[in-house]
Amino acid sequence: PATPVAGVNDFATCQTVRGIFNEGTKHGVVVEFFVDNGQPEVEKAIINQVITSGVQGAIIIRRIFSAGIANLASMLLTNWMPVVAVFDDCERTRMVSVNFNNIGIGHTASSAFIRMGHKRIGVLLRQSTHGSYFWDRLRGCELAAMEKGGCRVTAIYADERPLILRSACRQIRKSKITALLVAGEELLVALKPYLEETGIEVHRDLSVVICSSTPNVRGFAEKFDLIRLNFEEMGRTSFKALYDFYNGETPFKTILVNPPIERHGPGRRKPLHSGAKNDKDL
């Protein structure tokens, strides 16, 4: 089955659950799943079930737009239960946090662009994710550019509104960006027609790396280089962190998974149209 948890349909969550379930099965550990919707009565029911069933530890999976986990985690921790949180490295609770190394993602992508000869790099971000771990991908790009010197990183904010998408394309052209890290593939799907409308051709004028869990963006004939987000590995890592605790090992407070960059696109070595006459234009 796609997931052993009824009512969970989000791809990333399903894959994380699969990783936890498979790792637990491999170690002969019974794994029980509870679906939380953030409602107080549901959280209370989950806590009661967890405590009465003799569960020895908890893993909380939270995607960025789902309900916060502070209340649920606090109640579990109050009962001296070890807690591992997946995708949550921003709430100040006494638990182990497992997440992608989002600064590392940005640094990896930016470093690859710089090696290709790009001087002006953009990071496509959804405005509504301000302050989230997506923004660490921007920070990672900026760090790589600072280390190299002579490179500029520009944040490009967008959503699905045509006016905003056209504005983002104008910013890409005005800033003479030749390489783009896409923090979420849905934004590229929305942006690409407007890039073409602006006269910017992906792969010819713009090298792209996408943060994605799939080898290609759905709905596109061409392939793209990507940072592989392996959600199943996140599940396995979170289970191992909890399992190590019961083997007498002390897990790190924060565990980061480093996704590699995979070459699926043309991998252009240098930009065709840099927009800058020379480095002094930077």
Side-chain angles (χ1 to χ4, degrees):
T3 170
V5 183
V8 177
N9 300 312
D10 173 75
F11 175 81
T13 303
C14 287
Q15 291 300 305
T16 305
V17 164
R18 181 192 294 273
I20 294 171
F21 184 76
N22 289 342
E23 196 67 25
T25 301
K26 186 170 71 176
H27 287 83
V29 174
V30 175
V31 182
E32 296 184 59
F33 293 95
F34 304 88
V35 181
D36 173 32
N37 61 5
Q39 297 299 317
E41 60 273 16
V42 174
E43 291 184 343
K44 185 176 180 181
I46 290 174
I47 293 298
N48 289 335
Q49 291 179 66
V50 167
I51 293 174
T52 56
S53 65
V55 169
Q56 296 172 293
I59 299 171
I60 301 177
I61 306 170
R62 188 200 76 153
R63 299 295 319 279
I64 190 167
F65 297 119
S66 62
I69 66 170
N71 291 337
L72 182 61
S74 296
M75 287 187 281
L76 292 169
L77 291 163
T78 299
N79 286 275
W80 300 100
M81 182 175 295
V83 177
V84 174
V86 188
F87 304 117
D88 193 280
D89 53 1
C90 56
E91 293 182 300
R92 298 181 180 277
T93 50
R94 294 176 290 107
M95 57 189 174
V96 176
S97 174
V98 177
N99 203 346
F100 292 117
N101 186 350
N102 288 287
I103 291 178
I105 285 173
H107 193 280
T108 296
S110 189
S111 297
F113 286 143
I114 292 168
R115 286 194 300 271
M116 291 179 192
H118 295 279
K119 297 290 187 179
R120 299 187 177 191
I121 300 165
V123 181
L124 184 61
L125 293 162
R126 189 178 293 277
Q127 181 66 51
S128 60
T129 60
H130 186 281
S132 73
Y133 51 73
F134 288 112
W135 284 57
D136 281 343
R137 298 173 187 178
L138 171 63
R139 290 176 56 204
C141 280
E142 291 171 337
L143 284 173
M146 288 172 57
E147 291 168 4
K148 179 64 178 178
C151 301
R152 178 187 297 171
V153 174
T154 303
I156 309 293
Y157 308 116
D159 54 37
E160 278 76 11
R161 291 174 292 176
L163 181 64
I164 301 300
L165 292 168
R166 287 191 174 95
S167 176
C169 292
R170 287 195 297 270
Q171 186 181 6
I172 289 171
R173 178 174 284 283
K174 182 179 179 181
S175 300
K176 300 173 183 176
I177 290 168
T178 60
L180 188 69
L181 172 63
V182 180
E185 64 184 54
E186 298 87 357
L187 274 181
L188 183 65
V189 172
L191 185 69
K192 193 167 184 289
Y194 296 93
L195 287 171
E196 294 169 353
E197 180 184 282
T198 311
I200 301 172
E201 185 177 321
V202 172
H203 295 326
R204 185 196 69 184
D205 306 310
L206 199 63
S207 293
V208 175
V209 171
I210 306 174
C211 297
S212 176
S213 57
T214 58
N216 195 23
V217 179
R218 290 179 291 275
F220 286 85
E222 67 267 46
K223 293 184 179 294
F224 297 86
D225 293 344
L226 61 88
I227 302 285
R228 172 77 68 177
L229 303 179
N230 189 332
F231 296 107
E232 191 169 342
E233 178 62 26
M234 293 287 285
R236 288 193 295 266
T237 301
S238 63
F239 178 89
K240 289 173 184 175
L242 193 61
Y243 192 75
D244 287 347
F245 180 86
Y246 286 101
N247 285 332
E249 299 180 28
T250 302
F252 292 104
K253 175 67 176 175
T254 301
I255 300 173
L256 298 177
V257 175
N258 288 297
I261 186 169
E262 297 182 2
R263 296 294 183 192
H264 297 279
R268 189 175 299 285
R269 296 303 302 168
K270 57 177 62 175
L272 280 181
H273 307 289
S274 67
K277 294 179 181 178
N278 53 58
D279 287 351
K280 291 181 181 179
D281 291 341
L282 293 173

